Amino acid sequence: MKVKNNIILALDVMDIDKAITICDKVKGQIDTIKIGYPLTLAVGIECIKILKEQFNFQVICDYKVADIDATNEKIAEITYNKGADGLICHGFVGEDSVQACLDKANEYKKELFLLTEMSHPGARKFLQPNAEEIAKLGVEMGIKNYVAPATRPERLEIIRNIVGQDAYIISPGVGTQGGSAKETLKISDAIIVGRSIYNSNDPKKAVKDILS
């Protein structure tokens, strides 16, 4: 997956009109958005189709899928069937659960992103101690796309060294959470930015500032 300007908009708003307004303002600067539960639960999963058709964006669904394999399979089926280009799943649930998502990604010829470690402080307690094993699992399974935090560059570099230079890493935590776009992109392939853009009075300028 190639991402314009190496930046993904995390569109965690809860109103489709607001989502459309923000997308319209930044459409010349980005071509990929990440939507999660806030927008999907507030509007419905048809928001994928609405935003793809109106702006021709790539859409990554950040549902952090983390259930048994049979349930993961259903979630992935629905998500890809509704038009998502990518889906994020947790790795801590183990190989069988991840494989269910991977099988659906391959079936639909779409992308699966394996979440190794999250960007918030609480991730240090449970996810960080297991992030390297999760990354190794992904490599063993042939997964090419990963999520690793911009807020901890030293951890991001460890994950990069495990998954290799050919893997594609996207990193949340730039902006409001304190991660640096410039430093992150020395290691990651793309950054994920949400509040710094969608809470801005001038989203277009906010994107420009992040990339400057």
Side-chain angles (χ1 to χ4, degrees), residues 2-3 15 18 26 28 42 70-71 78 86 91 96 125 133 140 151 154 177 185 195 197 202:
K2 293 183 178 180
V3 174
D15 180 273
K18 183 176 182 180
V26 301
T71 304
I78 294 168
D96 53 346
K125 186 169 185 179
E133 289 302 314
E140 291 168 2
T151 48
E154 72 286 354
Q177 291 189 65
L185 287 172
R195 286 170 287 178
I197 297 173
D202 189 344

Side-chain angles (χ1 to χ4, degrees), residues 6 11-12 38 58 68 72 84 89 99 102 109 113 122 161 166 169 190 194 196 200:
N6 306 112
L11 197 58
D12 292 325
Q58 298 181 110
I68 64 169
N72 278 9
C89 78
Q99 188 67 54
L102 183 59
K109 295 180 171 57
F113 291 82
N161 289 336
D166 291 337
I169 300 178
S196 297
S200 172

Side-chain angles (χ1 to χ4, degrees), residues 143-189:
I143 293 173
K144 302 300 183 183
N145 305 304
Y146 296 86
V147 183
T151 48
R152 292 184 286 281
E154 72 286 354
R155 296 292 307 159
L156 178 55
E157 190 163 17
I158 289 170
I159 299 301
R160 169 60 79 188
N161 289 336
I162 292 171
V163 301
Q165 294 302 314
D166 291 337
Y168 196 86
I169 300 178
I170 61 176
S171 293
V174 170
T176 302
Q177 291 189 65
S180 162
K182 183 177 180 180
E183 293 303 311
T184 301
L185 287 172
K186 290 178 180 178
I187 308 170
S188 288
D189 297 281

Side-chain angles (χ1 to χ4, degrees), residues 45-46 48-49 52 76-84 108:
I45 200 165
E46 295 302 326
I48 299 172
K49 181 180 180 181
K52 280 180 68 71
E77 167 69 32
I78 294 168
T79 305
Y80 290 124
N81 182 260
K82 289 296 183 179
Y108 279 88

